[in-house]
Amino acid sequence: MPTWTMSWVWLAGAAGMGLLLRLGSVRLPRLRWRTHLLCWLAALVVSAPRLPYLLEPALGYAVEAVAFDDHWHFQELMSLVNSPAFPPVSTFDPSLLLPYYYGPWIPGAVVWQIGAVVTIKQAFFVLHVLYAAALLYATVYTARAVFRTRLNRSVLFVVVLLFGGFDAFAAPFVKATSEWWAMDLGLMLQFSSTITLLSWVPHHVAGALAVVAAARWADSRRWSDRVTAGVLLASAVGASPLVCLGAVIFLSWWVVTRGLWVSAVVAAGVGSCSARRSGGCTWSPGNVGSPR
């Protein structure tokens, strides 16, 4: 598939997803305008450290990456827009395929490809704001579904945004930084807060949101909702295999106990087709590339 068709394919997929949502029975509650304003303002605040990316053309010089991982994110976006065809090739060595899971960066590549921004860094900033807003909206909708009182909803909103992996509770008792508290127990594990995840690995946040959304839509008995859940699960695999590995036990139990075989089959089918078209999710030392 030629790279120039990426925007059309992505927009067609978005339209198809919108049609599935329209056919489904799951309806999200309406929010007040102040809630919408709060979500978008908070998303801009979270993304504020990357504001120089957006201002780069006005500044007249290239700005350094805010987070070290952004070096790889820029490279993946560059590969998506500059490769002659899919699967994309590595910017380090065009004889090799782009490694890792680059699905979450495709919307940013589309933003650049349709001319909405001038630079790749601007596209990355826009995408970061969108993922931050998606997380905030998901938290608001979850709070509305789980709790009835405004106080409980507000507490959940604060906990989800500011904490993660019991880091705040473990901080007084560990020698390492709060997100590495498991090291004191001999476990090489990191439990990061939500803000840390958004700052360093927003693509993993996107994968987690897809899994949570899939669980919500799979709870419906309508076939279109279960197909939607399957597509979301397949998207989660393309966004973050690490998230899916962590959720595989829950998802397996969910499929078996609730008979969500339609969702499972759709997820497997969409995931397999996507992997075949994209060249698969691979790993290679140094993030250089994998054999074509």
Side-chain angles (χ1 to χ4, degrees), residues 64-86:
E64 182 57 80
V66 173
F68 183 79
D69 285 20
D70 286 358
H71 290 100
W72 308 120
H73 303 156
F74 297 155
Q75 179 257 327
E76 290 163 344
L77 274 169
M78 290 294 293
S79 294
L80 287 171
V81 301
N82 289 322
S83 294
F86 267 70

Side-chain angles (χ1 to χ4, degrees), residues 87-90 93-99 278-280 282 284 288-292:
V89 296
S90 171
D93 187 346
S95 67
L96 301 174
L97 294 177
L98 174 66
S278 65
T282 57
S284 62
V288 174
S290 56
R292 299 182 68 173

Side-chain angles (χ1 to χ4, degrees), residues 227 230-235 263-277:
V227 171
V231 174
L232 287 168
L233 288 177
S235 301
S263 300
V265 170
V266 170
V270 173
S272 299
C273 292
S274 299
R276 185 173 182 179
R277 172 63 62 181

Side-chain angles (χ1 to χ4, degrees), residues 30-71:
R30 290 189 175 183
L31 303 177
R32 298 179 179 179
W33 69 268
R34 286 178 294 183
T35 305
H36 289 292
L37 181 62
L38 174 63
C39 288
W40 285 105
L41 286 178
L44 289 172
V45 169
V46 171
S47 303
R50 290 183 166 88
L51 187 60
Y53 297 166
L54 183 65
L55 302 178
E56 192 175 57
L59 294 173
Y61 57 85
V63 298
E64 182 57 80
V66 173
F68 183 79
D69 285 20
D70 286 358
H71 290 100

